[in-house]
Amino acid sequence: MKKITLLLSFIVCVVFAQAQTNLVVNPSFETWTGGNPDGWTIQSPSNGSVSVSTEKVLDGTSSLKVTGGSGTFPVWQSVPVTVGKTYILSMSYYIESGDNTDARIWSGFKNGTTLFSENEMIATTYYSILRGPGCENLNGSSYFPDVKGEWKTYTVEFLVPARSEEHTSEL
């Protein structure tokens, strides 16, 4: 069984590029209720776990620690956005151990409760930057560089396309 350990911190996740106001609730995973970080939805497979970490932090006093075997651990939050405004998406991650497929981002836009389709995302021209570095092959998302033992940050700037009401990022 593979064992991975990944820590996440959304330092300035989705912000207005002009105002630098963070739109993410609990971006550094500082507050928790019932074993879950406030403001976040987490879908953990049965063979893994999520927990608060106070040992390896980038901002504040805690981070989200993901530990597990195989499978994915979707962690997400949707934020309201305004069509035609520019935003910055930035996330930081720290890989303690893993198999080179440990951290990735899957970002997109929603209209109401419906996520944009792959073709709609491609049409926004932001497909590759919102799905991670090296995602030019248009088949999902690519993994972040697997550098273990240090914090890495991925940052992109994007303009919200027509029909968007929310931006969602899943890790």
Side-chain angles (χ1 to χ4, degrees):
M1 175 169 82
K2 296 183 285 185
K3 183 151 178 128
I4 64 165
T5 305
L6 173 70
L7 290 95
L8 299 170
S9 183
F10 274 80
I11 303 305
V12 286
C13 183
V14 179
V15 298
F16 283 111
Q18 299 86 351
Q20 298 297 311
T21 302
N22 197 338
L23 302 177
V24 174
V25 174
N26 194 20
S28 296
F29 303 100
E30 297 296 314
T31 58
W32 291 65
T33 304
N36 292 305
D38 296 342
W40 293 91
T41 301
I42 298 176
Q43 181 182 338
S44 301
S46 59
N47 63 344
S49 66
V50 296
S51 60
V52 63
S53 173
T54 56
E55 296 173 9
K56 293 196 173 51
V57 298
L58 183 61
D59 183 51
T61 60
S62 65
S63 61
L64 172 73
K65 183 174 185 175
V66 176
T67 305
S70 59
T72 59
F73 291 80
V75 176
W76 73 89
Q77 186 173 134
S78 294
V79 296
V81 292
T82 302
V83 171
K85 289 207 179 254
T86 300
Y87 294 83
I88 297 169
L89 169 67
S90 182
M91 67 150 299
S92 297
Y93 63 99
Y94 184 103
I95 299 172
E96 288 185 331
S97 64
D99 66 355
N100 298 325
T101 62
D102 304 309
R104 68 178 173 176
I105 191 166
W106 185 284
S107 293
F109 299 104
K110 291 171 84 176
N111 185 333
T113 59
T114 305
L115 285 170
F116 277 32
S117 69
E118 293 293 308
N119 287 336
E120 287 174 305
M121 279 298 297
I122 292 167
T124 69
T125 69
Y126 298 114
Y127 187 91
S128 63
I129 65 168
L130 290 176
R131 297 286 168 94
C135 193
E136 295 80 18
N137 58 7
L138 305 179
N139 67 356
S141 65
S142 62
Y143 293 96
F144 292 140
D146 193 25
V147 178
K148 293 175 179 66
E150 64 182 84
W151 284 99
K152 293 291 185 183
T153 300
Y154 180 67
T155 302
V156 296
E157 189 172 305
F158 61 92
L159 181 70
V160 176
R163 300 188 322 93
S164 298
E165 296 176 6
E166 289 186 330
H167 175 267
T168 184
S169 288
E170 178 180 302
L171 310 169

